[in-house]
Amino acid sequence: MTRSIWKGPFVDADLLKKAEKVKASGRHEQIKTWSRRSTILPDFVGLTFTVYNGHKFIPVLVSENMIGHKFGEFAPTRTFVAHTAADAKAKQEA
Amino acid sequence: MSLIAVGQIVNVHGIKGVMKVKPYLVNMSDFKGLNPLTDKDGKKHFEATLVGHQKECWLVAMKGITDRTTAENFKGLELYTKRENLPKTKENEFYHCDLVGVAVYQNDLEFGKVLRVLNYGAGDILQIKTIQGQTLELSFSKANFPKVDIANKKIQIVLPEDMKERLK
């Protein structure tokens, strides 16, 4: 059963507080979180969170197309090893 | 001269020496410009022509190999190409093979080395091994890596405030 719309998206309160604090300070900082269940809100765009995967903290740079997803989706808990493509490119975000 | 693995001969196809090659490329259609292909040591050279596709594989005819028996001898061989044969990247785009192993500097002091490039769907992440032996992951952003100099194999790093405290 899906979550009722009237409740709004779920975000841990302390995460919301941390995000507001970092946004207001404008410091070059990552927000450490264990809250994999929290939904990514439009307010989080541009911020970097480090999400715990049970082993270490994975950096998650929030972009617009991630809104509505959960943080846990971007920090996998299991290792998947595959051959890296020869022409795989990395894009440097602004 | 640096060589990059672009595929592996997994089988043969038909009786005319055509080989089935599993590509290691993001886009299968990027076969053009990879010639000449070589083996791991760069000693054997192959002039390859793409003759078709079969599922996720290329069907490749090699110059001088005209029968199935000869082609079968190459089963399992990894095919390499020169790094220069890969197409040029856009601005702010870098090949993983160029980034891995590059030295990372913090305020002109050696900080570590790029171990690997990861991507879990939230942008690219550089995994760095510091000279103290610690491993850390950082988003590949302008804020964290303001200067990327692939030609001189140097990357400038600016650590986020929270990470500075953690590494103290």
mmCIF file of all heavy atoms in Angstrom, chain B residues 9-20 46 60-62 64-77:
data_model
loop_
_atom_site.group_PDB
_atom_site.id
_atom_site.type_symbol
_atom_site.label_atom_id
_atom_site.label_comp_id
_atom_site.label_asym_id
_atom_site.label_seq_id
_atom_site.Cartn_x
_atom_site.Cartn_y
_atom_site.Cartn_z
ATOM 1 N N ILE B 9 37.306 -11.909 -27.398
ATOM 2 C CA ILE B 9 36.791 -12.877 -28.380
ATOM 3 C C ILE B 9 36.164 -14.022 -27.583
ATOM 4 O O ILE B 9 36.858 -14.703 -26.819
ATOM 5 C CB ILE B 9 37.912 -13.384 -29.312
ATOM 6 C CG1 ILE B 9 38.531 -12.215 -30.088
ATOM 7 C CG2 ILE B 9 37.375 -14.447 -30.267
ATOM 8 C CD1 ILE B 9 39.807 -12.544 -30.826
ATOM 9 N N VAL B 10 34.858 -14.184 -27.717
ATOM 10 C CA VAL B 10 34.181 -15.198 -26.907
ATOM 11 C C VAL B 10 33.859 -16.458 -27.705
ATOM 12 O O VAL B 10 33.698 -17.533 -27.138
ATOM 13 C CB VAL B 10 32.889 -14.653 -26.239
ATOM 14 C CG1 VAL B 10 33.237 -13.717 -25.105
ATOM 15 C CG2 VAL B 10 31.967 -13.990 -27.230
ATOM 16 N N ASN B 11 33.763 -16.306 -29.025
ATOM 17 C CA ASN B 11 33.432 -17.474 -29.848
ATOM 18 C C ASN B 11 33.717 -17.170 -31.306
ATOM 19 O O ASN B 11 34.130 -16.051 -31.643
ATOM 20 C CB ASN B 11 31.961 -17.841 -29.651
ATOM 21 C CG ASN B 11 31.730 -19.329 -29.729
ATOM 22 O OD1 ASN B 11 32.560 -20.067 -30.275
ATOM 23 N ND2 ASN B 11 30.631 -19.787 -29.192
ATOM 24 N N VAL B 12 33.454 -18.162 -32.143
ATOM 25 C CA VAL B 12 33.574 -17.945 -33.592
ATOM 26 C C VAL B 12 32.180 -18.039 -34.199
ATOM 27 O O VAL B 12 31.258 -18.565 -33.592
ATOM 28 C CB VAL B 12 34.525 -18.971 -34.241
ATOM 29 C CG1 VAL B 12 35.959 -18.694 -33.866
ATOM 30 C CG2 VAL B 12 34.138 -20.382 -33.883
ATOM 31 N N HIS B 13 32.054 -17.505 -35.393
ATOM 32 C CA HIS B 13 30.739 -17.477 -36.032
ATOM 33 C C HIS B 13 30.882 -17.917 -37.496
ATOM 34 O O HIS B 13 31.622 -17.290 -38.260
ATOM 35 C CB HIS B 13 30.190 -16.041 -35.948
ATOM 36 C CG HIS B 13 28.873 -15.859 -36.612
ATOM 37 N ND1 HIS B 13 27.690 -16.180 -36.008
ATOM 38 C CD2 HIS B 13 28.549 -15.389 -37.841
ATOM 39 C CE1 HIS B 13 26.695 -15.896 -36.834
ATOM 40 N NE2 HIS B 13 27.194 -15.415 -37.948
ATOM 41 N N GLY B 14 30.249 -18.976 -37.854
ATOM 42 C CA GLY B 14 30.297 -19.453 -39.237
ATOM 43 C C GLY B 14 31.604 -20.143 -39.573
ATOM 44 O O GLY B 14 32.390 -20.499 -38.686
ATOM 45 N N ILE B 15 31.855 -20.313 -40.862
ATOM 46 C CA ILE B 15 33.032 -21.090 -41.293
ATOM 47 C C ILE B 15 34.095 -20.213 -41.952
ATOM 48 O O ILE B 15 35.121 -20.684 -42.402
ATOM 49 C CB ILE B 15 32.622 -22.236 -42.250
ATOM 50 C CG1 ILE B 15 31.838 -21.705 -43.456
ATOM 51 C CG2 ILE B 15 31.830 -23.301 -41.508
ATOM 52 C CD1 ILE B 15 31.727 -22.686 -44.604
ATOM 53 N N LYS B 16 33.835 -18.896 -42.014
ATOM 54 C CA LYS B 16 34.775 -18.012 -42.720
ATOM 55 C C LYS B 16 35.708 -17.230 -41.792
ATOM 56 O O LYS B 16 36.292 -16.230 -42.167
ATOM 57 C CB LYS B 16 33.988 -17.058 -43.619
ATOM 58 C CG LYS B 16 33.328 -17.784 -44.789
ATOM 59 C CD LYS B 16 32.587 -16.848 -45.690
ATOM 60 C CE LYS B 16 31.962 -17.611 -46.829
ATOM 61 N NZ LYS B 16 31.062 -16.751 -47.618
ATOM 62 N N GLY B 17 35.795 -17.662 -40.557
ATOM 63 C CA GLY B 17 36.744 -17.037 -39.640
ATOM 64 C C GLY B 17 36.228 -15.805 -38.927
ATOM 65 O O GLY B 17 37.005 -15.073 -38.308
ATOM 66 N N VAL B 18 34.923 -15.589 -38.992
ATOM 67 C CA VAL B 18 34.335 -14.438 -38.279
ATOM 68 C C VAL B 18 34.303 -14.756 -36.778
ATOM 69 O O VAL B 18 33.991 -15.872 -36.378
ATOM 70 C CB VAL B 18 32.914 -14.117 -38.820
ATOM 71 C CG1 VAL B 18 32.230 -13.056 -37.982
ATOM 72 C CG2 VAL B 18 32.996 -13.676 -40.269
ATOM 73 N N MET B 19 34.657 -13.751 -35.974
ATOM 74 C CA MET B 19 34.711 -13.955 -34.522
ATOM 75 C C MET B 19 33.635 -13.162 -33.799
ATOM 76 O O MET B 19 33.285 -12.072 -34.231
ATOM 77 C CB MET B 19 36.078 -13.514 -33.993
ATOM 78 C CG MET B 19 37.213 -14.311 -34.565
ATOM 79 S SD MET B 19 38.744 -13.656 -33.964
ATOM 80 C CE MET B 19 39.870 -14.394 -35.117
ATOM 81 N N LYS B 20 33.195 -13.745 -32.693
ATOM 82 C CA LYS B 20 32.184 -13.076 -31.868
ATOM 83 C C LYS B 20 32.939 -12.369 -30.737
ATOM 84 O O LYS B 20 33.639 -13.034 -29.969
ATOM 85 C CB LYS B 20 31.251 -14.146 -31.314
ATOM 86 C CG LYS B 20 29.902 -13.669 -30.900
ATOM 87 C CD LYS B 20 29.044 -14.890 -30.608
ATOM 88 C CE LYS B 20 27.958 -14.531 -29.662
ATOM 89 N NZ LYS B 20 27.169 -15.694 -29.274
ATOM 90 N N PHE B 46 45.726 -6.801 -35.156
ATOM 91 C CA PHE B 46 44.583 -7.296 -35.921
ATOM 92 C C PHE B 46 43.909 -6.132 -36.632
ATOM 93 O O PHE B 46 43.625 -5.107 -36.002
ATOM 94 C CB PHE B 46 43.544 -7.952 -34.989
ATOM 95 C CG PHE B 46 44.079 -9.076 -34.160
ATOM 96 C CD1 PHE B 46 44.507 -8.862 -32.859
ATOM 97 C CD2 PHE B 46 44.146 -10.364 -34.669
ATOM 98 C CE1 PHE B 46 45.000 -9.895 -32.082
ATOM 99 C CE2 PHE B 46 44.637 -11.410 -33.899
ATOM 100 C CZ PHE B 46 45.065 -11.174 -32.599
ATOM 101 N N VAL B 60 33.070 -9.873 -35.900
ATOM 102 C CA VAL B 60 34.235 -9.185 -36.450
ATOM 103 C C VAL B 60 35.040 -10.115 -37.343
ATOM 104 O O VAL B 60 35.305 -11.261 -36.981
ATOM 105 C CB VAL B 60 35.136 -8.670 -35.288
ATOM 106 C CG1 VAL B 60 36.413 -8.064 -35.811
ATOM 107 C CG2 VAL B 60 34.386 -7.669 -34.437
ATOM 108 N N ALA B 61 35.385 -9.596 -38.519
ATOM 109 C CA ALA B 61 36.268 -10.344 -39.428
ATOM 110 C C ALA B 61 37.661 -9.742 -39.306
ATOM 111 O O ALA B 61 37.822 -8.526 -39.368
ATOM 112 C CB ALA B 61 35.755 -10.232 -40.844
ATOM 113 N N MET B 62 38.660 -10.580 -39.077
ATOM 114 C CA MET B 62 40.044 -10.127 -38.946
ATOM 115 C C MET B 62 40.777 -10.388 -40.255
ATOM 116 O O MET B 62 40.623 -11.472 -40.836
ATOM 117 C CB MET B 62 40.762 -10.868 -37.811
ATOM 118 C CG MET B 62 40.063 -10.778 -36.478
ATOM 119 S SD MET B 62 40.323 -9.210 -35.686
ATOM 120 C CE MET B 62 39.706 -9.565 -34.052
ATOM 121 N N GLY B 64 43.313 -11.660 -42.728
ATOM 122 C CA GLY B 64 44.249 -12.798 -42.716
ATOM 123 C C GLY B 64 43.693 -14.038 -42.052
ATOM 124 O O GLY B 64 44.311 -15.098 -42.123
ATOM 125 N N ILE B 65 42.538 -13.905 -41.384
ATOM 126 C CA ILE B 65 41.921 -15.088 -40.754
ATOM 127 C C ILE B 65 40.668 -15.425 -41.561
ATOM 128 O O ILE B 65 39.681 -14.697 -41.522
ATOM 129 C CB ILE B 65 41.590 -14.832 -39.266
ATOM 130 C CG1 ILE B 65 42.879 -14.487 -38.513
ATOM 131 C CG2 ILE B 65 40.917 -16.032 -38.633
ATOM 132 C CD1 ILE B 65 42.685 -13.919 -37.144
ATOM 133 N N THR B 66 40.751 -16.525 -42.311
ATOM 134 C CA THR B 66 39.672 -16.830 -43.255
ATOM 135 C C THR B 66 38.961 -18.149 -42.976
ATOM 136 O O THR B 66 38.017 -18.494 -43.672
ATOM 137 C CB THR B 66 40.218 -16.840 -44.698
ATOM 138 O OG1 THR B 66 41.372 -17.690 -44.721
ATOM 139 C CG2 THR B 66 40.587 -15.448 -45.184
ATOM 140 N N ASP B 67 39.446 -18.889 -41.992
ATOM 141 C CA ASP B 67 38.740 -20.145 -41.702
ATOM 142 C C ASP B 67 38.453 -20.296 -40.207
ATOM 143 O O ASP B 67 39.106 -19.668 -39.363
ATOM 144 C CB ASP B 67 39.527 -21.363 -42.214
ATOM 145 C CG ASP B 67 40.857 -21.494 -41.524
ATOM 146 O OD1 ASP B 67 41.751 -20.645 -41.769
ATOM 147 O OD2 ASP B 67 41.008 -22.415 -40.718
ATOM 148 N N ARG B 68 37.491 -21.094 -39.913
ATOM 149 C CA ARG B 68 36.996 -21.274 -38.550
ATOM 150 C C ARG B 68 38.068 -21.847 -37.615
ATOM 151 O O ARG B 68 38.203 -21.396 -36.472
ATOM 152 C CB ARG B 68 35.773 -22.205 -38.590
ATOM 153 C CG ARG B 68 35.065 -22.338 -37.264
ATOM 154 C CD ARG B 68 33.907 -23.309 -37.340
ATOM 155 N NE ARG B 68 33.348 -23.511 -36.017
ATOM 156 C CZ ARG B 68 32.256 -22.926 -35.558
ATOM 157 N NH1 ARG B 68 31.590 -22.106 -36.328
ATOM 158 N NH2 ARG B 68 31.811 -23.154 -34.337
ATOM 159 N N THR B 69 38.852 -22.796 -38.113
ATOM 160 C CA THR B 69 39.859 -23.452 -37.267
ATOM 161 C C THR B 69 40.882 -22.439 -36.760
ATOM 162 O O THR B 69 41.244 -22.454 -35.575
ATOM 163 C CB THR B 69 40.566 -24.574 -38.056
ATOM 164 O OG1 THR B 69 39.579 -25.293 -38.786
ATOM 165 C CG2 THR B 69 41.317 -25.511 -37.146
ATOM 166 N N THR B 70 41.362 -21.575 -37.646
ATOM 167 C CA THR B 70 42.323 -20.547 -37.220
ATOM 168 C C THR B 70 41.669 -19.607 -36.211
ATOM 169 O O THR B 70 42.274 -19.238 -35.200
ATOM 170 C CB THR B 70 42.831 -19.739 -38.435
ATOM 171 O OG1 THR B 70 43.083 -20.624 -39.516
ATOM 172 C CG2 THR B 70 44.071 -18.938 -38.121
ATOM 173 N N ALA B 71 40.433 -19.223 -36.488
ATOM 174 C CA ALA B 71 39.714 -18.289 -35.610
ATOM 175 C C ALA B 71 39.542 -18.877 -34.214
ATOM 176 O O ALA B 71 39.624 -18.159 -33.214
ATOM 177 C CB ALA B 71 38.372 -17.946 -36.228
ATOM 178 N N GLU B 72 39.299 -20.186 -34.143
ATOM 179 C CA GLU B 72 39.082 -20.836 -32.839
ATOM 180 C C GLU B 72 40.297 -20.726 -31.920
ATOM 181 O O GLU B 72 40.154 -20.750 -30.695
ATOM 182 C CB GLU B 72 38.720 -22.315 -33.046
ATOM 183 C CG GLU B 72 37.222 -22.487 -33.301
ATOM 184 C CD GLU B 72 36.814 -23.914 -33.613
ATOM 185 O OE1 GLU B 72 37.693 -24.744 -33.904
ATOM 186 O OE2 GLU B 72 35.601 -24.165 -33.586
ATOM 187 N N ASN B 73 41.490 -20.573 -32.490
ATOM 188 C CA ASN B 73 42.712 -20.433 -31.686
ATOM 189 C C ASN B 73 42.722 -19.140 -30.871
ATOM 190 O O ASN B 73 43.475 -19.011 -29.911
ATOM 191 C CB ASN B 73 43.951 -20.457 -32.590
ATOM 192 C CG ASN B 73 44.132 -21.798 -33.253
ATOM 193 O OD1 ASN B 73 43.721 -22.814 -32.722
ATOM 194 N ND2 ASN B 73 44.713 -21.810 -34.443
ATOM 195 N N PHE B 74 41.916 -18.172 -31.273
ATOM 196 C CA PHE B 74 41.910 -16.865 -30.605
ATOM 197 C C PHE B 74 40.808 -16.748 -29.550
ATOM 198 O O PHE B 74 40.632 -15.691 -28.955
ATOM 199 C CB PHE B 74 41.763 -15.744 -31.645
ATOM 200 C CG PHE B 74 42.936 -15.647 -32.582
ATOM 201 C CD1 PHE B 74 42.872 -16.195 -33.853
ATOM 202 C CD2 PHE B 74 44.110 -15.043 -32.183
ATOM 203 C CE1 PHE B 74 43.955 -16.126 -34.723
ATOM 204 C CE2 PHE B 74 45.205 -14.966 -33.036
ATOM 205 C CZ PHE B 74 45.131 -15.511 -34.300
ATOM 206 N N LYS B 75 40.054 -17.806 -29.346
ATOM 207 C CA LYS B 75 38.960 -17.769 -28.359
ATOM 208 C C LYS B 75 39.498 -17.400 -26.981
ATOM 209 O O LYS B 75 40.491 -17.968 -26.527
ATOM 210 C CB LYS B 75 38.252 -19.121 -28.302
ATOM 211 C CG LYS B 75 36.892 -19.087 -28.981
ATOM 212 C CD LYS B 75 36.343 -20.457 -29.178
ATOM 213 C CE LYS B 75 35.527 -20.941 -28.036
ATOM 214 N NZ LYS B 75 34.845 -22.217 -28.375
ATOM 215 N N GLY B 76 38.888 -16.443 -26.330
ATOM 216 C CA GLY B 76 39.296 -16.020 -24.994
ATOM 217 C C GLY B 76 40.277 -14.863 -24.987
ATOM 218 O O GLY B 76 40.562 -14.296 -23.937
ATOM 219 N N LEU B 77 40.782 -14.502 -26.159
ATOM 220 C CA LEU B 77 41.777 -13.421 -26.241
ATOM 221 C C LEU B 77 41.118 -12.051 -26.021
ATOM 222 O O LEU B 77 40.077 -11.764 -26.600
ATOM 223 C CB LEU B 77 42.456 -13.449 -27.612
ATOM 224 C CG LEU B 77 43.575 -12.433 -27.830
ATOM 225 C CD1 LEU B 77 44.871 -12.928 -27.215
ATOM 226 C CD2 LEU B 77 43.791 -12.174 -29.310
#
